[in-house]
Amino acid sequence: MYHGLIDVPTFAYFDFGNIWMGSLLGDMNYRIEPLKKAEPPALKVSVWYGEICFELGQISTEFEEEFSDDGYQRVIVKINELAAEYRKKLSEPRN
């Protein structure tokens, strides 16, 4: 399901313990991992750039939100903000 620029499943997907990864704008990649056993439970988000897998990529941004539908909504907003910033950077003239 698309939310702004990103494709993310519903919160129920994460409630079942699944990890989601996506990419957009050519080489902006993101990973959302449920940390249900953490104290407190959280959704962990990692963002990296380039055409390389998560395991080998250099994480440029990492953050966590509470493991709830509200936290899930904040994750979507933050990833979309990062994507908008990256899109703006791509559109700027290069010297």
Side-chain angles (χ1 to χ4, degrees):
M1 174 181 299
Y2 276 92
H3 298 275
L5 296 172
I6 64 170
D7 180 23
V8 182
T10 64
F11 177 71
Y13 179 88
F14 300 103
D15 202 20
F16 282 105
N18 298 304
I19 295 171
W20 181 263
M21 287 194 278
S23 63
L24 61 150
L25 302 172
D27 64 353
M28 179 185 168
N29 310 289
Y30 59 94
R31 180 179 195 260
I32 306 170
E33 176 184 4
L35 303 175
K36 292 178 72 172
K37 295 182 181 179
E39 194 53 49
L43 288 167
K44 180 180 179 181
V45 178
S46 304
V47 177
W48 71 101
Y49 299 90
E51 296 179 6
I52 194 162
C53 66
F54 170 76
E55 291 79 10
L56 300 176
Q58 182 177 356
I59 305 302
S60 67
T61 303
E62 214 166 47
F63 64 93
E64 292 181 8
E65 288 290 347
E66 70 180 74
F67 190 80
S68 67
D69 190 56
D70 288 341
Y72 165 78
Q73 296 299 326
R74 286 191 297 275
V75 162
I76 291 169
V77 168
K78 180 65 175 173
I79 295 173
N80 272 297
E81 288 172 353
L82 292 168
E85 290 171 16
Y86 187 61
R87 184 193 313 190
K88 183 179 177 185
K89 181 181 172 183
L90 289 175
S91 68
E92 293 172 354
R94 296 183 183 184
N95 296 332

